[in-house]
Amino acid sequence: MYFLLLQACYNSVVFQITQGTNAGFKNRVTFTMGIMSILKYPDPRLRQKALPVAAVNAKTRSLIEDMFETMWDANGIGLAATQVDVHERVIVMDLEGEQAAPRVYINPEIEILDATCLPYDEGCLSIPDTYETVERPGHVMITALDQDGAEFKEEAKGLLAVCIQHEIDHLEGKLFVDYLSSIKRQRIRKKLKKNRA
């Protein structure tokens, strides 16, 4: 997922790690794995609900490495395992891009701390070259496991809050276009079909 945002929007992101850790992943992993194929809307596999990761192990970490490489190669800031046809509850993010701040969320859950919705122009690696305004709560608490299987909590505002909700939607088989009118969805499908022709 990626957004058409002014730099000021990036500067508005506030996060605080309140338990455990989700930092330093890049320093402990060499990203030399393969680039995965990203499913494109309206592929029905994007609608499959992801299952919780039962145990974080070497296979999970290998998936995470592949997902990071895939996301960076596609110039995205977030990717859910569902988008690469792996139906497990795994999300990777790098809101700063260029491998600057990799973050991992396994079995993520959110609690809405402030229901006030913020409008963001959202895009998605599964829906190329398409951006539409979606409103989501701008302040949430994330609970998840890190790449070592340790639970952590993270308070998120702004872009981070919006991005985690977008990616969790993928794990639930939902896409940002589902928030749009049926007319807009039809227009997007026609455009993507034309682009693939």
Side-chain angles (χ1 to χ4, degrees), residues 77-95:
I77 63 170
L79 186 69
T82 299
Q83 293 176 271
V84 291
D85 201 22
V86 178
H87 301 283
E88 299 180 2
R89 300 185 74 81
V90 178
I91 290 169
V92 299
M93 285 189 205
D94 183 358
L95 299 185

Side-chain angles (χ1 to χ4, degrees), residues 13-16 93 95 103 105 120 140 142 154-166:
V13 177
V14 178
F15 61 87
Q16 178 182 5
M93 285 189 205
L95 299 185
R103 312 188 71 78
Y105 301 91
Y120 276 79
V140 302
I142 308 166
E154 188 172 5
E155 187 175 352
K157 293 182 179 180
L159 178 60
L160 179 58
V162 170
C163 191
I164 190 66
Q165 291 174 78
H166 177 112

Side-chain angles (χ1 to χ4, degrees), residues 54-162:
V56 178
N57 51 32
K59 181 180 178 182
T60 310
R61 285 184 280 274
S62 178
L63 169 64
I64 290 168
E65 293 176 24
D66 286 358
M67 287 176 63
F68 269 120
E69 183 130 340
T70 301
M71 180 185 71
W72 286 325
D73 180 71
N75 296 316
I77 63 170
L79 186 69
T82 299
Q83 293 176 271
V84 291
D85 201 22
V86 178
H87 301 283
E88 299 180 2
R89 300 185 74 81
V90 178
I91 290 169
V92 299
M93 285 189 205
D94 183 358
L95 299 185
E96 298 180 21
E98 299 182 354
Q99 306 183 23
R103 312 188 71 78
V104 177
Y105 301 91
I106 300 170
N107 297 341
E109 298 179 358
I110 60 168
E111 175 190 357
I112 296 174
L113 300 180
D114 184 347
T116 303
C117 290
L118 301 178
Y120 276 79
D121 287 338
E122 294 191 18
C124 181
L125 295 178
S126 291
I127 312 175
D129 303 317
T130 300
Y131 306 91
E132 294 287 347
T133 301
V134 177
E135 293 189 356
R136 301 182 189 267
H139 188 190
V140 302
M141 178 67 75
I142 308 166
T143 302
L145 303 179
D146 65 15
Q147 64 277 357
D148 295 317
E151 182 177 287
F152 68 95
K153 290 182 180 291
E154 188 172 5
E155 187 175 352
K157 293 182 179 180
L159 178 60
L160 179 58
V162 170

